[in-house]
Amino acid sequence: MRYTGLINHYKDRLPVNENTRFISLGEGNTPLIRLENIPALLSKKVDIYVKYEGLNPTGSFKDRGMTMAVTKAVEAGSKAIICASTGNTSASAAAYAARAGIKAFVLIPEGKIALGKLAQAMIHGAVIIQIKGNFDDGMRLVKEVAEHAPVSIVNSINPFRLQGQKTASFEIVEELGDAPDYHCLPVGNAGNISAHWMGYKEYQQDGKATKTPAMVGYQAEGSAPFKKGEMIDNPETIATAIRIGHPQSWDLAHEVERESNGWFDALSDADILSAQKLLTEKEGIFCEPASATSLAGAMRDIKSGKISEGSKIVCTLTGHGLKDPDTAIAQCSDEMININPVMEEVKNAILDNM
Ligand SMILES: *Cc1c(COP(=O)(O)O)cnc(C)c1O
């Protein structure tokens, strides 16, 4: 049967009924790829899978939540949606609003949005409001303005977002035959880690899984309120998707940590970028910098033994590498070879680099 998106696929487990118009772009059903080369580099016996959420329609997991949020907004008669965004939420909101025939307003931090995400929000016709501030400022403004204007918030404080995003866990359990031992994610607002935990618990309660994983959330060091144990005011990291100091799902995420026996930790930007590059060079998988935080953290905790040998680990790769071409190119620009258009020079370039 033709796959027509996660709401239709999981409609028995989502808050929709036969009269609901599903606003879908075929999101979900993303590949769970077993890493073949990286585990050998860690000199530990582990099974690592990456859930490649960058292959959603707009290139990030945000589509899982957005299909639900926009579906419910339209069902409630809303003519406009609004969000604050570090980029991917705005891209997704813009696309699903276009699909639904409603308006999208997006607040983004000036100069801190990766190029691909900005292009998406613009081309889909969202009204883009750049603010001289960060994501946390935008989020505060969105909450305020939604009380004074006829717009539905589609940030992850919208509970329908988490409902949609929990389906990633369903897919993982179905593919592996059970829950993994550990599930590692990059954490910004912590909506996604909370949604995944909901999904795992739901499948365990219904007997579709025998266990639940330890949920492990990784942040960037300059932007690590969970690691620090308190909100921070001026988050900084090259991984702009998780450049968040005041996470919206603060309490939920702490519950997840407790209930799942998981933990939070933080990685340097350098570690994040080298995990991103390792994944592209050793496995052929291109994710954006924030996404590589999950693998960077998992690798560190596998090496240290915190994640035990023999474990099955899933790392979510939240967004596609093409979202942020500038950061990718900046990492590799000195590797390019420049020559004159003659065969001899091409040949030398090949032989010198075999
Ligand atoms: C939104 C986003 C995150 C963070 O997800 P939260 O639910 O806010 O924790 C991580 N990576 C990417 C690529 C994102 O777009």
Side-chain angles (χ1 to χ4, degrees):
M1 224 181 59
R2 201 167 75 88
Y3 181 84
T4 56
L6 63 85
I7 301 183
N8 192 41
H9 194 74
Y10 290 112
K11 54 180 175 283
D12 298 344
R13 296 183 173 277
L14 293 168
V16 292
N17 61 51
E18 61 276 16
N19 300 317
T20 310
R21 176 187 160 209
F22 301 167
I23 312 297
S24 170
L25 293 167
E27 57 295 309
N29 196 23
T30 55
L32 184 67
I33 305 169
R34 185 166 182 267
L35 298 189
E36 293 184 344
N37 303 313
I38 289 176
L41 304 175
L42 304 173
S43 53
K44 300 267 179 157
K45 237 181 92 58
V46 284
D47 230 356
I48 309 176
Y49 295 82
V50 293
K51 182 72 167 158
Y52 197 11
E53 291 286 274
L55 293 196
N56 276 296
T58 78
S60 85
F61 77 83
K62 299 300 197 301
D63 295 342
R64 288 186 188 271
M66 202 56 68
T67 185
M68 271 305 306
V70 175
T71 289
K72 295 304 282 187
V74 167
E75 188 176 53
S78 187
K79 298 281 184 285
I81 57 175
I82 190 167
C83 63
S85 179
T86 60
N88 281 329
T89 300
S90 68
S92 189
Y96 283 83
R99 181 77 162 173
I102 62 174
K103 208 140 193 145
F105 296 93
V106 306
L107 273 73
I108 58 173
E110 191 178 76
K112 294 292 185 180
I113 296 282
L115 193 66
K117 306 174 188 183
L118 186 60
Q120 288 178 291
M122 292 174 85
I123 197 81
H124 286 300
V127 178
I128 299 174
I129 305 166
Q130 284 209 83
I131 57 168
K132 294 185 202 317
N134 59 27
F135 170 86
D136 302 310
D137 297 315
M139 193 65 241
R140 174 177 49 79
L141 290 164
V142 161
K143 285 181 184 169
E144 280 173 31
V145 82
E147 290 178 13
H148 302 282
V151 289
S152 303
I153 299 178
V154 294
N155 281 103
S156 57
I157 56 170
N158 177 329
F160 299 122
R161 277 276 306 273
L162 301 201
Q163 285 294 315
Q165 286 166 215
K166 75 180 180 184
T167 59
S169 298
F170 297 166
E171 292 173 12
I172 291 164
V173 169
E174 285 159 19
E175 285 211 33
L176 296 179
D178 204 342
D181 301 308
Y182 298 88
H183 190 131
C184 305
L185 297 103
V187 167
N189 277 307
N192 208 27
I193 196 169
S194 305
H196 276 77
W197 181 240
M198 281 169 46
Y200 281 123
K201 276 202 302 190
E202 187 174 326
Y203 258 26
Q204 188 205 24
Q205 277 154 15
D206 293 353
K208 296 199 159 243
T210 66
K211 58 183 180 183
T212 53
M215 303 297 295
V216 187
Y218 296 110
Q219 303 200 287
E221 271 171 7
S223 192
F226 285 108
K227 172 81 189 290
K228 244 187 133 197
E230 62 184 21
M231 307 271 186
I232 60 168
D233 281 338
N234 294 298
E236 268 315 334
T237 169
I238 194 154
T240 51
I242 51 172
R243 188 171 166 269
I244 292 168
H246 288 245
Q248 297 298 309
S249 293
W250 182 255
D251 294 337
L252 261 185
H254 282 106
E255 258 172 58
V256 172
E257 180 188 27
R258 224 177 17 255
E259 289 181 9
S260 78
N261 290 314
W263 63 89
F264 292 108
D265 211 336
L267 292 115
S268 68
D269 281 5
D271 283 348
I272 292 169
L273 290 180
S274 75
Q276 182 197 22
K277 197 138 189 281
L278 193 69
L279 200 50
T280 57
E281 291 183 344
K282 297 293 178 197
E283 303 284 356
I285 301 166
F286 188 21
C287 68
E288 68 172 282
S291 307
T293 309
S294 59
L295 180 67
M299 289 195 309
R300 191 170 72 189
D301 285 339
I302 290 165
K303 279 191 219 155
S304 78
K306 189 163 187 184
I307 291 178
S308 42
E309 210 152 354
S311 297
K312 193 174 280 188
I313 303 139
V314 172
C315 295
T316 296
L317 301 180
T318 43
H320 201 288
L322 290 173
K323 292 278 193 173
D324 190 353
D326 296 314
T327 304
I329 290 169
Q331 278 195 83
C332 313
S333 52
D334 56 345
E335 290 166 24
M336 211 175 314
I337 297 164
N338 294 294
I339 59 158
N340 294 303
V342 292
M343 194 283 286
E344 197 67 16
E345 291 192 32
V346 183
K347 189 185 79 183
N348 288 339
I350 293 170
L351 297 180
D352 290 349
N353 287 283
M354 284 296 276

